[in-house]
Amino acid sequence: MNHTKGGLVIFTANSHPSSRELGKRIAERLGVELGKVQVYQEANKETRVQIQESVRGKDVFIIQTVSKDVNTTIMEMLIMVYACRTSCARSITGVLPYFPYSKQCKMRKRGSIVSKLIASMMCKAGLTHLITMDLHQKEIQGFFNIPVDNLRASPFLLQYIQEEIPDYRNAVIVAKSPASAKRAQSFAERLRLGIAVIHGEAQDAESDQVDGRHSPPTAKTTGAIHPSMEIPLLIPKEKPPITVVGDVGGRIAIIVDDIIDDVDSFVAAAETLKERGAYKIFVMATHGLLSSDAPRFIEESAIDEVVVTNTIPHELQKLQCPKIKTVDISLILSEAIRRIHNGESMSYLFRNIGVDD
């Protein structure tokens, strides 16, 4: 049954077969067929897009999941958006469950804010609306000059905990670092559970010595600075020994985060929790990038189960590691598309969501 008004077209790109699979699930829920489009790479690796049906005056939704070749993923999206724009589509909404380069959303040393660049490119190509999920930093929405709906996967993960972990009442929600404490607190308050925070884990090393801005002047020059003006130096950080704030002894530990990519920190957190008496360890995350040897490390670790959503394809990783489980989020994406196309309010999808969620 078609749950939308006329004039809706849903396209999927060619980045990964799972992108088309997610698109099919969304289309089935909406009662429409996927649009006809041909996306391929030529011999010289240039991306070519051929829209094979009319989109004039229609609302176009382009679903794109991020594959291992993230740069090709972005180019496919940009070219598809521009092709629909030049074909006179009424509106073009990008559905990117995981926003690429979202980790590069802050200025670090002499780097750049790549998320801002990607946002500018998408807007320039002709995107009029963006649907995404659990941005790494919510402030990324401010990089766009178009509406952005940052959906949440937490209701689906909370439902998984309640339905698939029989003894979840004996669980404690764990933040593997103080930075993820707010997310852990949100889960704990909704499940009426306790919270624990791991403090003192290894952080990304960013040596100040290699950055010229932190270097002292080579020689003191007279008259450059007033003798009485001594600039105070910031005391360098010293990493404390790993401690767990909260009781996990005899409990199920559920580590929550937004992205699981390099699993070293999760494996270290699991070992620490085991040493403190946790008898079962789950990891919950929205985006399962699971790069490199992540499946092997998970399989060999103290982690009992890793639960991620299908915002990013990870079928190969699931074959390598049976501990990885998937939660389907196509329902909320299809409802968001339906509401945007029909001009209905989106507030229903954000009910009971606070500023820190």
Side-chain angles (χ1 to χ4, degrees), residues 60-116:
V60 176
F61 293 82
I62 301 173
I63 300 169
Q64 177 70 305
T65 56
V66 176
S67 66
K68 295 298 180 185
D69 189 355
V70 63
N71 296 324
T72 299
T73 296
I74 293 169
M75 284 306 301
E76 283 184 2
M77 182 72 182
L78 294 172
I79 296 173
M80 286 187 73
V81 169
Y82 190 66
C84 291
R85 176 187 173 186
T86 54
S87 298
C88 301
R90 182 173 68 177
S91 67
I92 307 167
T93 302
V95 183
L96 282 86
Y98 172 70
F99 186 72
Y101 286 95
S102 60
K103 288 185 178 180
Q104 299 188 47
C105 60
K106 294 180 181 179
M107 178 66 78
R108 295 188 182 277
K109 305 291 175 79
R110 294 188 182 88
S112 59
I113 306 176
V114 185
S115 292
K116 170 64 176 174

Side-chain angles (χ1 to χ4, degrees), residues 20-70:
R20 189 163 185 83
E21 181 62 31
L22 181 61
K24 283 182 179 179
R25 291 189 181 189
I26 292 172
E28 285 174 5
R29 292 183 183 276
L30 293 171
V32 299
E33 296 287 333
L34 283 178
K36 297 175 183 177
V37 62
Q38 193 175 18
V39 184
Y40 61 95
Q41 284 191 331
E42 296 184 343
N44 62 356
K45 299 300 181 181
E46 287 185 0
T47 299
R48 186 175 289 274
V49 172
Q50 294 287 342
I51 307 294
Q52 297 180 323
E53 63 179 83
S54 174
V55 296
R56 182 179 294 273
K58 295 182 179 180
D59 294 331
V60 176
F61 293 82
I62 301 173
I63 300 169
Q64 177 70 305
T65 56
V66 176
S67 66
K68 295 298 180 185
D69 189 355
V70 63

Side-chain angles (χ1 to χ4, degrees), residues 51 78 159 239 284 343:
I51 307 294
L78 294 172
Q159 184 181 35
K239 196 164 47 185
M284 298 271 177

Side-chain angles (χ1 to χ4, degrees), residues 210-253:
V210 298
D211 192 330
R213 291 180 297 176
H214 298 283
S215 303
T218 53
K220 288 186 177 180
T221 56
T222 58
I225 277 187
H226 193 277
S228 64
M229 293 177 63
E230 287 287 339
I231 300 175
L233 295 177
L234 191 63
I235 300 172
K237 293 180 180 179
E238 185 174 335
K239 196 164 47 185
I242 292 180
T243 57
V244 179
V245 182
D247 181 23
V248 298
R251 303 281 195 89
I252 299 172

